[in-house]
Amino acid sequence: MRFIIVLLSTLILFTCTEGQPTNSFTSINNAQEPAEFTSITALENRLSLDSRPNAAPKNIVFILSDDHRFDFMGFTGKVPWLETPNLDRLASEGAYFPNAYVTTALCSPSRASILTGLYSHTHTVVDNAAPDPGNLIFFPEYMQNAGYQTSFFGKWHMGNHSDDPQPGFDHWESFRGQGVYYGPTLNINGQHTTYDESTYITDLLTDHAIGWLKQRDEEQPFFLYLSHKAVHSEFQPAARHLGQYQEEPITYPPSYNTPNYGKPELPSKNAQGEPLRGQDYYGDRRIPDWVKQQRESWHGVDYMYHGRIPFKDFFYRYTETLMGIDDSVGEVLSYLDENGLAEDTLVVYMGDNGFSFGEHGLIDKRHFYEESAKVPLLVRWPSQLDGGRPINQLVQNIDLAPTFLAAAGLTPPDYFHGSSLMPLLSRQETTWRDRIFYEYYWEQDFPQTPTMFGVRTDRYKYIRYHGIWDTNEFYDLENDPNEMQNLIAAPEHQERIASFATEIYDWLETTDGMNIPLKNIVRPKFGDHRNQAIH
């Protein structure tokens, strides 16, 4: 029996009706002391949710990919030669969310936010080394308690490297840590099975997921969570896709060379003995020092992955690896079609975070630039969603848990920070949030990226750094969608910037986020070439 601990003495809820968040927060005192539940009855009571009026439980398929940036799909036209017919089909038959973001652009924090509906600082899995604190409830536990048959296939990687079965799933298949692309070992309901070197992980997980669907109890609703390793680095496409794009042209982003180092030599004093300041120091675009320095690092274009792969090969292998994901989506959709399940099954596809391909001279994720924090989100539900048109509201990964529970006919718990997407899926006129918040915490293994907090509206973005001597950032995304002109010192925006800074602290204070989480991690550094292999 797993102990369940009452979450938080103070929980936060948007001041809204269900599924209608605004930018205001209200504190709710649960008045419950932390307690351990050791009886089956108590556990069931803890996981019992009220049913939604006139809402029948629906079948749900959730497909999560790794490091898939929001615009690398055929229908967006971002990469003209990239073909993703099955992801394109999801968009044409359902809805694409062009403004979907994660609260933290990193595997473990994002996955924990998906499972709990909470911000990273609340669930405390703030990076890939932070453990599950043991007091979290994963949304599939509520569904399982309500009679759903649930399954998990693929990458868990939530704060540790374990592949052990987790609460909320009747059927479990996973691998340790990041896993491998070829010859994987799966923990299948507690028993390990190793496959030969010709076995490709994306195909294997898809086959097993469809096999589970075929053997399920057709009298019960189901929830299938297919969590792919792809397209996490270091990329390896399926053999059938290797080299397919090798000769295609690559268009480099406008900001690829923007940092160009450019940091003045120190001391920077002029003839009057005054050091450089403002734009005289940072340059006309006022680019932070950390961005300039990161060009020459594990996560920068001038020393990416410590020189292990050229940028062009990096780009081609990523797009070719992504094709296996598209094949997987097609296999799942075909099964639903062939078995009469497509019409009333909610299918959601999402990436756990975005990915940079040279924007600002960076690769990978973590930062709050668009390519890192924005993710692909596609939803198809023919019986409930009028397809073929995008849904443009600002949404986040914390909205998935309440959405899945609502689709299961359950009323999401009040403590969730996210809100159900159901009103948006119905395309009703509804009050919705007008801004999203972001956080990332410095990691020992990759110290190039600092702790940061941010807020983004439909037009503006403010990024506030913590613990470093550097410039903050402010962008007018309407006039500068590539985030190349930092307006942090612009006189006309100072009142707006001050308001955003206040909102960030209001958000953190009302969601119990005013403490920087620390962990006892004593090991040689990995991704820091300047100090590699030393403590």
Side-chain angles (χ1 to χ4, degrees):
M1 169 61 65
R2 193 172 81 107
F3 295 121
I4 303 296
I5 302 189
V6 173
L7 285 170
L8 311 176
S9 59
T10 302
L11 298 172
I12 307 306
L13 184 66
F14 288 109
T15 54
C16 57
T17 59
E18 180 195 345
Q20 299 178 332
T22 69
N23 59 316
S24 301
F25 297 97
T26 301
S27 177
I28 299 176
N29 190 341
N30 279 352
Q32 290 177 298
E33 294 297 323
E36 292 184 349
F37 295 90
T38 56
S39 73
I40 293 177
T41 300
L43 177 60
E44 290 175 345
N45 289 339
R46 182 72 181 96
L47 297 176
S48 294
L49 298 175
D50 292 336
S51 297
R52 298 176 64 236
N54 303 315
K58 305 298 183 180
N59 295 324
I60 302 170
V61 173
F62 176 41
I63 304 175
L64 182 70
S65 59
D66 197 306
D67 287 2
H68 184 189
R69 62 180 278 158
F70 75 101
D71 53 0
F72 271 40
M73 294 178 284
F75 70 89
T76 70
K78 174 68 175 180
V79 182
W81 39 262
L82 178 62
E83 298 178 350
T84 57
N86 297 298
L87 293 172
D88 296 357
R89 179 186 171 192
L90 275 181
S92 64
E93 296 180 1
Y96 171 50
F97 287 74
N99 293 303
Y101 292 81
V102 293
T103 59
T104 302
L106 191 61
C107 295
S108 294
S110 178
R111 290 162 187 270
S113 289
I114 289 170
L115 283 161
T116 64
L118 302 173
Y119 291 115
S120 300
H121 61 257
T122 304
H123 61 61
T124 73
V125 184
V126 294
D127 59 32
N128 290 345
D132 173 355
N135 63 350
L136 303 176
I137 297 178
F138 306 140
F139 74 82
E141 295 183 75
Y142 293 115
M143 301 172 75
Q144 192 180 47
N145 188 67
Y148 267 74
Q149 48 194 326
T150 60
S151 62
F152 181 88
F153 297 86
K155 179 177 177 179
W156 183 253
H157 190 55
M158 205 183 76
N160 58 40
H161 295 287
S162 174
D163 60 8
D164 292 339
Q166 297 294 322
F169 299 100
D170 300 313
H171 183 86
W172 175 267
E173 299 191 23
S174 188
F175 46 76
R176 287 184 55 78
Q178 299 288 0
V180 295
Y181 278 105
Y182 283 94
T185 295
L186 294 183
N187 181 332
I188 303 177
N189 296 323
Q191 300 295 318
H192 287 87
T193 301
T194 300
Y195 297 84
D196 63 52
E197 290 300 319
S198 66
T199 302
Y200 188 60
I201 186 61
T202 305
D203 297 342
L204 180 67
L205 294 174
T206 305
D207 290 346
H208 284 199
I210 292 174
W212 179 81
L213 287 174
K214 291 177 179 178
Q215 297 174 11
R216 77 190 191 284
D217 182 351
E218 296 186 4
E219 299 303 314
Q220 286 182 275
F222 66 81
F223 172 70
L224 168 65
Y225 189 160
L226 177 53
S227 177
H228 284 295
K229 169 183 171 58
V231 281
H232 194 280
S233 65
E234 298 169 10
F235 320 122
Q236 288 185 263
R240 62 187 179 275
H241 299 138
L242 179 61
Q244 183 164 334
Y245 293 137
Q246 188 68 37
E247 303 303 320
E248 298 291 350
I250 294 176
T251 301
Y252 291 83
S255 59
Y256 186 89
N257 289 314
T258 298
N260 201 24
Y261 301 104
K263 185 176 180 180
E265 293 185 7
L266 299 178
S268 67
K269 292 180 181 178
N270 59 25
Q272 288 74 42
E274 286 292 318
L276 298 178
R277 62 186 68 198
Q279 286 188 326
D280 291 335
Y281 175 81
Y282 289 106
D284 291 342
R285 298 182 186 274
R286 201 169 180 123
I287 297 167
D289 286 342
W290 76 264
V291 176
K292 300 169 187 173
Q293 293 182 42
Q294 190 162 313
R295 285 186 66 95
E296 187 183 80
S297 77
W298 182 273
H299 291 145
V301 296
D302 293 334
Y303 195 44
M304 48 195 294
Y305 299 146
H306 292 176
R308 296 180 184 181
I309 185 171
F311 184 87
K312 284 189 175 181
D313 289 344
F314 179 73
F315 197 97
Y316 294 137
R317 296 299 88 78
Y318 179 96
T319 51
E320 291 164 0
T321 303
L322 180 60
M323 296 182 71
I325 293 291
D326 190 73
D327 287 351
S328 174
V329 171
E331 290 291 326
V332 173
L333 294 182
S334 292
Y335 175 83
L336 297 177
D337 290 341
E338 293 164 5
N339 289 272
L341 296 168
E343 182 69 16
D344 208 20
T345 296
L346 169 62
V347 178
V348 176
Y349 175 87
M350 190 180 192
D352 67 344
N353 46 250
F355 203 83
S356 293
F357 271 102
E359 291 86 1
H360 309 277
L362 309 179
I363 63 165
D364 214 85
K365 59 260 186 179
R366 291 173 169 81
H367 48 81
F368 192 31
Y369 297 130
E370 291 290 279
E371 304 79 27
S372 169
K374 188 182 283 192
V375 293
L377 177 59
L378 303 167
V379 177
R380 190 189 77 163
W381 198 1
S383 68
Q384 306 289 328
L385 170 62
D386 180 19
R389 293 178 289 135
I391 295 175
N392 293 310
Q393 281 89 342
L394 290 162
V395 301
Q396 291 193 279
N397 52 348
I398 52 174
D399 298 328
L400 290 189
T403 301
F404 290 142
L405 293 182
L410 302 172
T411 301
D414 288 342
Y415 68 78
F416 279 179
H417 293 145
S419 295
S420 169
L421 300 175
M422 296 289 273
L424 301 184
L425 298 181
S426 68
R427 300 192 185 274
Q428 299 172 356
E429 287 293 327
T430 185
T431 302
W432 193 256
R433 68 169 67 91
D434 61 2
R435 63 205 60 212
I436 56 102
F437 293 94
Y438 184 83
E439 60 188 325
Y440 168 79
Y441 297 93
W442 177 90
E443 299 168 90
Q444 173 175 284
D445 283 331
F446 299 104
Q448 309 93 307
T449 307
T451 294
M452 67 186 74
F453 304 95
V455 57
R456 187 209 193 279
T457 66
D458 61 345
R459 178 170 180 176
Y460 298 108
K461 178 187 290 184
Y462 172 62
I463 309 173
R464 186 176 182 88
Y465 296 105
H466 181 90
I468 58 169
W469 184 16
D470 214 334
T471 181
N472 294 325
E473 297 179 84
F474 178 82
Y475 295 100
D476 179 348
L477 299 173
E478 182 176 294
N479 295 309
D480 180 23
N482 295 309
E483 299 169 290
M484 295 177 64
Q485 186 63 58
N486 182 9
L487 300 175
I488 193 68
E492 67 272 24
H493 290 302
Q494 292 311 297
E495 184 175 347
R496 180 175 289 110
I497 291 169
S499 177
F500 281 164
T502 299
E503 288 180 18
I504 286 174
Y505 286 110
D506 288 345
W507 162 61
L508 292 171
E509 285 182 340
T510 55
T511 55
D512 198 25
M514 290 296 285
N515 297 301
I516 299 293
L518 298 177
K519 303 166 297 301
N520 185 352
I521 301 175
V522 180
R523 62 170 182 262
K525 295 180 179 180
F526 170 70
D528 178 4
H529 69 274
R530 297 176 184 172
N531 302 287
Q532 198 163 17
I534 63 174
H535 289 87

PDB file of all heavy atoms in Angstrom, residues 59-83:
ATOM      1  N   ASN A  59     -13.314   7.084 -23.654  1.00  0.00           N
ATOM      2  CA  ASN A  59     -11.999   6.501 -23.859  1.00  0.00           C
ATOM      3  C   ASN A  59     -11.006   7.602 -24.207  1.00  0.00           C
ATOM      4  O   ASN A  59     -11.339   8.558 -24.928  1.00  0.00           O
ATOM      5  CB  ASN A  59     -12.041   5.475 -24.989  1.00  0.00           C
ATOM      6  CG  ASN A  59     -12.906   4.282 -24.658  1.00  0.00           C
ATOM      7  OD1 ASN A  59     -12.962   3.834 -23.510  1.00  0.00           O
ATOM      8  ND2 ASN A  59     -13.601   3.753 -25.653  1.00  0.00           N
ATOM      9  N   ILE A  60      -9.776   7.450 -23.702  1.00  0.00           N
ATOM     10  CA  ILE A  60      -8.774   8.506 -23.854  1.00  0.00           C
ATOM     11  C   ILE A  60      -7.436   7.887 -24.248  1.00  0.00           C
ATOM     12  O   ILE A  60      -6.976   6.922 -23.627  1.00  0.00           O
ATOM     13  CB  ILE A  60      -8.600   9.305 -22.542  1.00  0.00           C
ATOM     14  CG1 ILE A  60      -9.934   9.916 -22.098  1.00  0.00           C
ATOM     15  CG2 ILE A  60      -7.532  10.388 -22.710  1.00  0.00           C
ATOM     16  CD1 ILE A  60      -9.909  10.508 -20.704  1.00  0.00           C
ATOM     17  N   VAL A  61      -6.805   8.473 -25.257  1.00  0.00           N
ATOM     18  CA  VAL A  61      -5.441   8.112 -25.664  1.00  0.00           C
ATOM     19  C   VAL A  61      -4.579   9.364 -25.558  1.00  0.00           C
ATOM     20  O   VAL A  61      -4.901  10.398 -26.165  1.00  0.00           O
ATOM     21  CB  VAL A  61      -5.395   7.574 -27.102  1.00  0.00           C
ATOM     22  CG1 VAL A  61      -3.951   7.365 -27.548  1.00  0.00           C
ATOM     23  CG2 VAL A  61      -6.179   6.273 -27.215  1.00  0.00           C
ATOM     24  N   PHE A  62      -3.503   9.262 -24.791  1.00  0.00           N
ATOM     25  CA  PHE A  62      -2.560  10.375 -24.640  1.00  0.00           C
ATOM     26  C   PHE A  62      -1.196   9.928 -25.148  1.00  0.00           C
ATOM     27  O   PHE A  62      -0.615   8.973 -24.641  1.00  0.00           O
ATOM     28  CB  PHE A  62      -2.475  10.803 -23.177  1.00  0.00           C
ATOM     29  CG  PHE A  62      -1.457  11.883 -22.904  1.00  0.00           C
ATOM     30  CD1 PHE A  62      -1.304  12.956 -23.764  1.00  0.00           C
ATOM     31  CD2 PHE A  62      -0.656  11.828 -21.765  1.00  0.00           C
ATOM     32  CE1 PHE A  62      -0.376  13.950 -23.512  1.00  0.00           C
ATOM     33  CE2 PHE A  62       0.273  12.818 -21.502  1.00  0.00           C
ATOM     34  CZ  PHE A  62       0.416  13.883 -22.374  1.00  0.00           C
ATOM     35  N   ILE A  63      -0.706  10.605 -26.169  1.00  0.00           N
ATOM     36  CA  ILE A  63       0.606  10.310 -26.744  1.00  0.00           C
ATOM     37  C   ILE A  63       1.532  11.480 -26.438  1.00  0.00           C
ATOM     38  O   ILE A  63       1.274  12.612 -26.856  1.00  0.00           O
ATOM     39  CB  ILE A  63       0.528  10.079 -28.266  1.00  0.00           C
ATOM     40  CG1 ILE A  63      -0.476   8.961 -28.576  1.00  0.00           C
ATOM     41  CG2 ILE A  63       1.906   9.734 -28.820  1.00  0.00           C
ATOM     42  CD1 ILE A  63      -0.709   8.748 -30.069  1.00  0.00           C
ATOM     43  N   LEU A  64       2.603  11.198 -25.700  1.00  0.00           N
ATOM     44  CA  LEU A  64       3.576  12.218 -25.307  1.00  0.00           C
ATOM     45  C   LEU A  64       4.902  11.935 -25.997  1.00  0.00           C
ATOM     46  O   LEU A  64       5.418  10.817 -25.921  1.00  0.00           O
ATOM     47  CB  LEU A  64       3.768  12.219 -23.792  1.00  0.00           C
ATOM     48  CG  LEU A  64       4.724  13.276 -23.233  1.00  0.00           C
ATOM     49  CD1 LEU A  64       4.123  14.672 -23.365  1.00  0.00           C
ATOM     50  CD2 LEU A  64       5.064  12.985 -21.768  1.00  0.00           C
ATOM     51  N   SER A  65       5.432  12.925 -26.679  1.00  0.00           N
ATOM     52  CA  SER A  65       6.764  12.806 -27.261  1.00  0.00           C
ATOM     53  C   SER A  65       7.747  13.623 -26.436  1.00  0.00           C
ATOM     54  O   SER A  65       7.356  14.401 -25.564  1.00  0.00           O
ATOM     55  CB  SER A  65       6.769  13.272 -28.720  1.00  0.00           C
ATOM     56  OG  SER A  65       6.353  14.621 -28.810  1.00  0.00           O
ATOM     57  N   ASP A  66       9.025  13.455 -26.725  1.00  0.00           N
ATOM     58  CA  ASP A  66      10.081  14.087 -25.941  1.00  0.00           C
ATOM     59  C   ASP A  66      10.830  15.092 -26.820  1.00  0.00           C
ATOM     60  O   ASP A  66      11.320  14.731 -27.899  1.00  0.00           O
ATOM     61  CB  ASP A  66      11.039  13.004 -25.431  1.00  0.00           C
ATOM     62  CG  ASP A  66      11.912  13.481 -24.292  1.00  0.00           C
ATOM     63  OD1 ASP A  66      12.579  14.518 -24.464  1.00  0.00           O
ATOM     64  OD2 ASP A  66      11.934  12.836 -23.238  1.00  0.00           O
ATOM     65  N   ASP A  67      10.918  16.333 -26.377  1.00  0.00           N
ATOM     66  CA  ASP A  67      11.710  17.362 -27.063  1.00  0.00           C
ATOM     67  C   ASP A  67      11.194  17.699 -28.460  1.00  0.00           C
ATOM     68  O   ASP A  67      11.970  18.143 -29.320  1.00  0.00           O
ATOM     69  CB  ASP A  67      13.177  16.927 -27.167  1.00  0.00           C
ATOM     70  CG  ASP A  67      13.921  16.994 -25.837  1.00  0.00           C
ATOM     71  OD1 ASP A  67      13.295  17.339 -24.830  1.00  0.00           O
ATOM     72  OD2 ASP A  67      15.126  16.682 -25.817  1.00  0.00           O
ATOM     73  N   HIS A  68       9.918  17.516 -28.715  1.00  0.00           N
ATOM     74  CA  HIS A  68       9.349  17.866 -30.018  1.00  0.00           C
ATOM     75  C   HIS A  68       8.929  19.329 -29.988  1.00  0.00           C
ATOM     76  O   HIS A  68       7.993  19.700 -29.275  1.00  0.00           O
ATOM     77  CB  HIS A  68       8.158  16.971 -30.339  1.00  0.00           C
ATOM     78  CG  HIS A  68       7.579  17.200 -31.689  1.00  0.00           C
ATOM     79  ND1 HIS A  68       6.393  16.620 -32.096  1.00  0.00           N
ATOM     80  CD2 HIS A  68       7.998  17.946 -32.748  1.00  0.00           C
ATOM     81  CE1 HIS A  68       6.122  16.983 -33.328  1.00  0.00           C
ATOM     82  NE2 HIS A  68       7.079  17.799 -33.746  1.00  0.00           N
ATOM     83  N   ARG A  69       9.604  20.162 -30.774  1.00  0.00           N
ATOM     84  CA  ARG A  69       9.261  21.584 -30.767  1.00  0.00           C
ATOM     85  C   ARG A  69       7.940  21.826 -31.496  1.00  0.00           C
ATOM     86  O   ARG A  69       7.535  21.050 -32.360  1.00  0.00           O
ATOM     87  CB  ARG A  69      10.378  22.440 -31.338  1.00  0.00           C
ATOM     88  CG  ARG A  69      10.734  22.177 -32.768  1.00  0.00           C
ATOM     89  CD  ARG A  69      11.858  23.099 -33.208  1.00  0.00           C
ATOM     90  NE  ARG A  69      11.358  24.415 -33.573  1.00  0.00           N
ATOM     91  CZ  ARG A  69      12.106  25.518 -33.590  1.00  0.00           C
ATOM     92  NH1 ARG A  69      13.368  25.448 -33.208  1.00  0.00           N
ATOM     93  NH2 ARG A  69      11.600  26.670 -33.967  1.00  0.00           N
ATOM     94  N   PHE A  70       7.302  22.943 -31.190  1.00  0.00           N
ATOM     95  CA  PHE A  70       5.911  23.172 -31.562  1.00  0.00           C
ATOM     96  C   PHE A  70       5.664  23.260 -33.053  1.00  0.00           C
ATOM     97  O   PHE A  70       4.576  22.960 -33.530  1.00  0.00           O
ATOM     98  CB  PHE A  70       5.406  24.464 -30.894  1.00  0.00           C
ATOM     99  CG  PHE A  70       5.924  25.728 -31.521  1.00  0.00           C
ATOM    100  CD1 PHE A  70       5.131  26.460 -32.393  1.00  0.00           C
ATOM    101  CD2 PHE A  70       7.198  26.205 -31.249  1.00  0.00           C
ATOM    102  CE1 PHE A  70       5.583  27.628 -32.973  1.00  0.00           C
ATOM    103  CE2 PHE A  70       7.672  27.373 -31.820  1.00  0.00           C
ATOM    104  CZ  PHE A  70       6.866  28.077 -32.684  1.00  0.00           C
ATOM    105  N   ASP A  71       6.666  23.683 -33.839  1.00  0.00           N
ATOM    106  CA  ASP A  71       6.397  23.957 -35.250  1.00  0.00           C
ATOM    107  C   ASP A  71       7.051  22.968 -36.198  1.00  0.00           C
ATOM    108  O   ASP A  71       6.991  23.155 -37.418  1.00  0.00           O
ATOM    109  CB  ASP A  71       6.835  25.383 -35.605  1.00  0.00           C
ATOM    110  CG  ASP A  71       8.277  25.682 -35.204  1.00  0.00           C
ATOM    111  OD1 ASP A  71       8.942  24.788 -34.655  1.00  0.00           O
ATOM    112  OD2 ASP A  71       8.730  26.825 -35.437  1.00  0.00           O
ATOM    113  N   PHE A  72       7.670  21.900 -35.693  1.00  0.00           N
ATOM    114  CA  PHE A  72       8.267  20.900 -36.573  1.00  0.00           C
ATOM    115  C   PHE A  72       7.223  19.839 -36.906  1.00  0.00           C
ATOM    116  O   PHE A  72       7.277  18.693 -36.461  1.00  0.00           O
ATOM    117  CB  PHE A  72       9.508  20.285 -35.918  1.00  0.00           C
ATOM    118  CG  PHE A  72      10.784  21.028 -36.224  1.00  0.00           C
ATOM    119  CD1 PHE A  72      10.807  22.410 -36.262  1.00  0.00           C
ATOM    120  CD2 PHE A  72      11.962  20.353 -36.467  1.00  0.00           C
ATOM    121  CE1 PHE A  72      11.973  23.110 -36.529  1.00  0.00           C
ATOM    122  CE2 PHE A  72      13.149  21.033 -36.745  1.00  0.00           C
ATOM    123  CZ  PHE A  72      13.150  22.413 -36.781  1.00  0.00           C
ATOM    124  N   MET A  73       6.265  20.236 -37.715  1.00  0.00           N
ATOM    125  CA  MET A  73       5.236  19.358 -38.255  1.00  0.00           C
ATOM    126  C   MET A  73       4.941  19.842 -39.665  1.00  0.00           C
ATOM    127  O   MET A  73       5.031  21.043 -39.946  1.00  0.00           O
ATOM    128  CB  MET A  73       3.982  19.382 -37.381  1.00  0.00           C
ATOM    129  CG  MET A  73       4.189  18.792 -35.993  1.00  0.00           C
ATOM    130  SD  MET A  73       2.733  18.874 -34.920  1.00  0.00           S
ATOM    131  CE  MET A  73       2.765  20.623 -34.466  1.00  0.00           C
ATOM    132  N   GLY A  74       4.579  18.920 -40.539  1.00  0.00           N
ATOM    133  CA  GLY A  74       4.405  19.271 -41.934  1.00  0.00           C
ATOM    134  C   GLY A  74       3.456  20.421 -42.165  1.00  0.00           C
ATOM    135  O   GLY A  74       3.739  21.338 -42.953  1.00  0.00           O
ATOM    136  N   PHE A  75       2.311  20.429 -41.476  1.00  0.00           N
ATOM    137  CA  PHE A  75       1.262  21.414 -41.770  1.00  0.00           C
ATOM    138  C   PHE A  75       1.641  22.829 -41.375  1.00  0.00           C
ATOM    139  O   PHE A  75       1.037  23.796 -41.859  1.00  0.00           O
ATOM    140  CB  PHE A  75      -0.062  21.009 -41.111  1.00  0.00           C
ATOM    141  CG  PHE A  75      -0.072  21.115 -39.615  1.00  0.00           C
ATOM    142  CD1 PHE A  75      -0.437  22.292 -38.982  1.00  0.00           C
ATOM    143  CD2 PHE A  75       0.274  20.028 -38.827  1.00  0.00           C
ATOM    144  CE1 PHE A  75      -0.454  22.383 -37.597  1.00  0.00           C
ATOM    145  CE2 PHE A  75       0.248  20.101 -37.445  1.00  0.00           C
ATOM    146  CZ  PHE A  75      -0.109  21.281 -36.825  1.00  0.00           C
ATOM    147  N   THR A  76       2.648  23.010 -40.498  1.00  0.00           N
ATOM    148  CA  THR A  76       3.042  24.368 -40.109  1.00  0.00           C
ATOM    149  C   THR A  76       3.888  25.038 -41.183  1.00  0.00           C
ATOM    150  O   THR A  76       3.961  26.273 -41.223  1.00  0.00           O
ATOM    151  CB  THR A  76       3.834  24.366 -38.793  1.00  0.00           C
ATOM    152  OG1 THR A  76       5.132  23.775 -39.015  1.00  0.00           O
ATOM    153  CG2 THR A  76       3.094  23.618 -37.700  1.00  0.00           C
ATOM    154  N   GLY A  77       4.567  24.236 -42.026  1.00  0.00           N
ATOM    155  CA  GLY A  77       5.414  24.797 -43.058  1.00  0.00           C
ATOM    156  C   GLY A  77       6.750  25.301 -42.565  1.00  0.00           C
ATOM    157  O   GLY A  77       7.532  25.864 -43.347  1.00  0.00           O
ATOM    158  N   LYS A  78       7.064  25.117 -41.295  1.00  0.00           N
ATOM    159  CA  LYS A  78       8.321  25.608 -40.744  1.00  0.00           C
ATOM    160  C   LYS A  78       9.518  24.981 -41.452  1.00  0.00           C
ATOM    161  O   LYS A  78      10.482  25.675 -41.808  1.00  0.00           O
ATOM    162  CB  LYS A  78       8.372  25.303 -39.244  1.00  0.00           C
ATOM    163  CG  LYS A  78       9.697  25.630 -38.571  1.00  0.00           C
ATOM    164  CD  LYS A  78       9.959  27.119 -38.519  1.00  0.00           C
ATOM    165  CE  LYS A  78      11.211  27.437 -37.749  1.00  0.00           C
ATOM    166  NZ  LYS A  78      11.497  28.882 -37.691  1.00  0.00           N
ATOM    167  N   VAL A  79       9.480  23.658 -41.633  1.00  0.00           N
ATOM    168  CA  VAL A  79      10.517  22.939 -42.365  1.00  0.00           C
ATOM    169  C   VAL A  79       9.843  22.425 -43.640  1.00  0.00           C
ATOM    170  O   VAL A  79       9.092  21.444 -43.591  1.00  0.00           O
ATOM    171  CB  VAL A  79      11.094  21.779 -41.545  1.00  0.00           C
ATOM    172  CG1 VAL A  79      12.207  21.081 -42.321  1.00  0.00           C
ATOM    173  CG2 VAL A  79      11.614  22.276 -40.195  1.00  0.00           C
ATOM    174  N   PRO A  80      10.057  23.067 -44.779  1.00  0.00           N
ATOM    175  CA  PRO A  80       9.251  22.785 -45.973  1.00  0.00           C
ATOM    176  C   PRO A  80       9.250  21.332 -46.421  1.00  0.00           C
ATOM    177  O   PRO A  80       8.251  20.867 -46.979  1.00  0.00           O
ATOM    178  CB  PRO A  80       9.889  23.687 -47.036  1.00  0.00           C
ATOM    179  CG  PRO A  80      10.558  24.781 -46.268  1.00  0.00           C
ATOM    180  CD  PRO A  80      11.041  24.145 -45.006  1.00  0.00           C
ATOM    181  N   TRP A  81      10.325  20.609 -46.171  1.00  0.00           N
ATOM    182  CA  TRP A  81      10.431  19.236 -46.657  1.00  0.00           C
ATOM    183  C   TRP A  81      10.053  18.189 -45.604  1.00  0.00           C
ATOM    184  O   TRP A  81      10.071  16.997 -45.874  1.00  0.00           O
ATOM    185  CB  TRP A  81      11.850  18.956 -47.159  1.00  0.00           C
ATOM    186  CG  TRP A  81      12.947  19.566 -46.340  1.00  0.00           C
ATOM    187  CD1 TRP A  81      13.606  20.732 -46.601  1.00  0.00           C
ATOM    188  CD2 TRP A  81      13.518  19.049 -45.134  1.00  0.00           C
ATOM    189  NE1 TRP A  81      14.556  20.983 -45.637  1.00  0.00           N
ATOM    190  CE2 TRP A  81      14.531  19.953 -44.722  1.00  0.00           C
ATOM    191  CE3 TRP A  81      13.293  17.914 -44.357  1.00  0.00           C
ATOM    192  CZ2 TRP A  81      15.305  19.763 -43.569  1.00  0.00           C
ATOM    193  CZ3 TRP A  81      14.053  17.709 -43.210  1.00  0.00           C
ATOM    194  CH2 TRP A  81      15.036  18.630 -42.838  1.00  0.00           C
ATOM    195  N   LEU A  82       9.715  18.609 -44.401  1.00  0.00           N
ATOM    196  CA  LEU A  82       9.356  17.668 -43.339  1.00  0.00           C
ATOM    197  C   LEU A  82       7.947  17.131 -43.566  1.00  0.00           C
ATOM    198  O   LEU A  82       6.996  17.902 -43.731  1.00  0.00           O
ATOM    199  CB  LEU A  82       9.442  18.352 -41.973  1.00  0.00           C
ATOM    200  CG  LEU A  82       9.056  17.510 -40.762  1.00  0.00           C
ATOM    201  CD1 LEU A  82       9.980  16.302 -40.608  1.00  0.00           C
ATOM    202  CD2 LEU A  82       9.092  18.365 -39.492  1.00  0.00           C
ATOM    203  N   GLU A  83       7.802  15.811 -43.548  1.00  0.00           N
ATOM    204  CA  GLU A  83       6.511  15.178 -43.779  1.00  0.00           C
ATOM    205  C   GLU A  83       6.030  14.477 -42.508  1.00  0.00           C
ATOM    206  O   GLU A  83       6.698  13.579 -41.990  1.00  0.00           O
ATOM    207  CB  GLU A  83       6.610  14.170 -44.925  1.00  0.00           C
ATOM    208  CG  GLU A  83       6.985  14.803 -46.256  1.00  0.00           C
ATOM    209  CD  GLU A  83       7.133  13.772 -47.360  1.00  0.00           C
ATOM    210  OE1 GLU A  83       7.133  12.557 -47.048  1.00  0.00           O
ATOM    211  OE2 GLU A  83       7.251  14.172 -48.530  1.00  0.00           O
TER     212      GLU A  83
END
